[in-house]
Amino acid sequence: MKNFLATRWGIIAVGGFIGILASLLQYWGNPANMGICVACMERDIAGALGLHRAAVVQYMRPEIIGFVLGSFAAAYLFKEFRSRLGSAPIVRFVLGVFAMIGALIFLGCPWRALLRLAGGDLNAILGLAGLAVGIWIGTLFLRNGYNLGRTHKTHTSAGWIMPLIMLGFLVIMLFNPQISGENQSGLLFYSVEGPGSMHAPLIVSLVAGLLVGFLAQKSRFCTMGAIRDLILFKQTHLFGGLVALVITAFLANLVLGQFNAGFVGQPVAHNMHFWNFAGMGLAGLAFALAGGCPGRQLFLSGEGDGDASVFVIGMIVGAAIAHNFGLASSPAGVTTAGIGALIVGVIVCITIGLTMKDKAA
Amino acid sequence: MSNVVDARGLSCPQPVIMTVDEIKKMEQGEITVLVDTDTAKENVSRAAKSKGWSVLEINPDEEGYKIRIGK
């Protein structure tokens, strides 16, 4: 069967759909320019589980659960589910940690960088420029033989682990529902103020996540791959989806009155230009070395890729580290510890890129 | 005689890099690319077409797909 969603118009349709949906999620309650932000939402999940205690960013985001389970459903429906693992998991974990730290210095993943731009936050331009430079550095390593090695086929049930973890999160959430004005409900933390307190209704978020997960698995939507393929192969296929996302989110924001252009006073953002650039640069390099943007890693987790799952867990742990040690930025700007972590992250990623070549591949 | 590129188990963008490298080396002829995911199958086919090669045949097997491209 021809896969329409993997054609040029398919990926443009999916990107456009995600843009509108993200804008609507903001309208329905998600924080501004954060309709979908994989890094922010995984950080909120880390907070909901109590892995960090930053009281303003704690919420079990159903969108993330939906991303993995939607992809899982699509992979099974179209017989694409393949359990595989074993391509340098510890390296992928570390890349996930630093990808998250870089993203939290900028205050958003590539998805949110695009949505911030679509909402008029001009600081996103610095972030996107950093993202492109980070990915460009990643392509230099790729050209020079960087390769984390092959995965191998494994037990079907091994590929079920990440989808089951997500299902478990959903069950925990249903049994520990948010109590108005309380910051804890049984096992879970819930922000009473700040971005973590802002969310669309659970069922809306979950259905949106499932839809995106389903469509993105089939279309292979990837924000990092979009820029990487453009640089590496001069191929615009995935880039079409990325552009469509920005355009439709921008138009939807105009219609919903969510567009506000400028550098200053933007929601959940700071305007330290260099650090916006550098934070996203680190994240872009880490995503390029790991072979996918944070969204794509979730979709791969849903179709049985155990290494992508390890990267996702690295990101969640990275969020805990970032908040426990004060590495994450706030609207007031970056922290000294954050700058230190950024430098360490760049050194680690460059070392990975330089030393991990697989000649036998 | 067809050259074989074994990209099984490799994640994005390795299968495409290996295929494009082989295309550049051969300039014309026939290449068989082995992949084990649908994503890699689509990406390799797309890359071959963009280099002016045609996809002659795609055969699913136990390990994934055998893609024959040629020019």
Side-chain angles (χ1 to χ4, degrees):
Chain A
M1 188 182 76
K2 177 85 180 154
N3 178 5
F4 164 74
L5 290 175
T7 63
R8 167 167 291 272
W9 285 106
I11 188 101
I12 288 173
V14 170
F17 174 76
I18 293 174
I20 294 172
L21 194 64
S23 179
L24 279 170
L25 281 168
Q26 288 157 209
Y27 184 72
W28 289 326
N30 280 8
N33 299 344
M34 211 188 279
I36 297 171
C37 168
V38 177
C40 318
M41 289 177 161
E42 288 174 349
R43 171 207 57 201
D44 293 350
I45 288 178
L49 296 168
L51 299 176
H52 69 69
R53 300 299 166 99
V56 290
V57 283
Q58 297 176 317
Y59 181 63
M60 181 59 77
R61 295 278 177 191
E63 288 89 346
I64 299 294
I65 296 170
F67 277 17
V68 176
L69 296 181
S71 161
F72 181 75
Y76 260 94
L77 192 64
F78 298 105
K79 298 190 169 55
E80 292 187 1
F81 187 87
R82 279 168 201 263
S83 289
R84 53 199 192 269
L85 47 74
S87 169
I90 184 67
V91 179
R92 294 179 188 274
F93 179 85
V94 169
L95 289 172
V97 169
F98 283 112
M100 180 60 97
I101 290 174
L104 290 180
I105 287 171
F106 164 71
L107 290 173
C109 68
W111 292 52
R112 183 165 192 247
L114 299 169
L115 292 173
R116 280 173 62 171
L117 185 65
D121 178 351
L122 301 179
N123 298 297
I125 296 169
L126 280 301
L128 288 169
L131 180 70
V133 169
I135 294 170
W136 172 71
I137 296 170
T139 63
L140 297 182
F141 293 129
L142 285 166
R143 278 189 217 276
N144 283 296
Y146 165 79
N147 189 336
L148 286 180
R150 294 176 198 268
T151 57
H152 54 83
K153 232 171 113 176
T154 184
H155 315 287
T156 302
S157 54
W160 281 58
I161 290 178
M162 198 62 182
L164 284 175
I165 289 175
M166 289 295 161
L167 191 63
F169 284 170
L170 182 62
V171 171
I172 291 172
M173 192 178 190
L174 295 175
F175 278 97
N176 301 273
Q178 187 168 23
I179 303 164
S180 180
E182 296 283 331
N183 75 338
Q184 204 173 351
S185 166
L187 299 176
L188 295 178
F189 290 92
Y190 287 92
S191 295
V192 287
E193 56 176 12
S197 69
M198 303 163 75
H199 54 82
L202 193 162
I203 186 70
V204 172
S205 295
L206 183 64
V207 170
L210 286 168
L211 282 173
V212 172
F214 191 93
L215 294 172
Q217 192 280 332
K218 252 342 245 174
S219 66
R220 334 298 183 199
F221 181 83
C222 177
T223 58
M224 185 285 297
I227 297 171
R228 178 200 62 207
D229 289 355
L230 197 62
I231 298 172
L232 200 56
F233 308 122
K234 306 205 168 28
Q235 219 185 68
T236 55
H237 174 74
L238 288 171
F239 201 74
L242 185 150
V243 172
L245 185 154
V246 175
I247 292 173
T248 59
F250 165 70
L251 294 174
N253 281 337
L254 279 183
V255 171
L256 298 171
Q258 296 177 157
F259 184 80
N260 170 31
F263 279 101
V264 184
Q266 290 292 341
V268 201
H270 61 76
N271 53 8
M272 294 182 166
H273 301 321
F274 178 77
W275 299 113
N276 277 330
F277 174 88
M280 215 48 184
L282 170 60
L285 175 55
F287 293 135
L289 293 177
C293 79
R296 180 77 185 139
Q297 304 281 356
L298 290 168
F299 310 136
L300 285 169
S301 297
E303 57 170 75
D305 186 336
D307 296 310
S309 304
V310 171
F311 183 91
V312 170
I313 293 173
M315 281 191 74
I316 293 174
V317 171
I321 293 172
H323 281 285
N324 286 338
F325 298 107
L327 314 177
S329 301
S330 69
V334 294
T335 67
T336 312
I339 293 170
L342 195 152
I343 294 168
V344 172
V346 170
I347 293 170
V348 168
C349 287
I350 288 177
T351 308
I352 288 173
L354 283 175
T355 58
M356 301 191 188
K357 295 183 189 178
D358 188 0
K359 290 191 186 117
Chain B
M1 173 68 198
S2 154
N3 289 30
V4 177
V5 170
D6 183 359
R8 287 173 299 184
L10 293 171
S11 53
C12 276
Q14 302 295 347
V16 174
I17 292 181
M18 291 166 72
T19 306
V20 171
D21 282 352
E22 196 65 22
I23 283 176
K24 279 184 188 156
K25 224 178 343 179
M26 292 188 46
E27 286 177 10
Q28 61 178 28
E30 225 178 271
I31 304 172
T32 302
V33 187
L34 308 176
V35 298
D36 65 350
T37 64
D38 291 81
T39 307
K41 177 192 71 177
E42 292 162 7
N43 290 346
V44 166
S45 307
R46 195 180 297 119
K49 284 178 200 156
S50 78
K51 295 282 166 197
W53 284 49
S54 18
V55 177
L56 305 173
E57 198 181 14
I58 299 180
N59 276 321
D61 63 16
E62 282 219 340
E63 301 274 321
Y65 298 96
K66 211 178 263 184
I67 308 165
R68 215 154 55 82
I69 58 172
K71 182 179 170 178

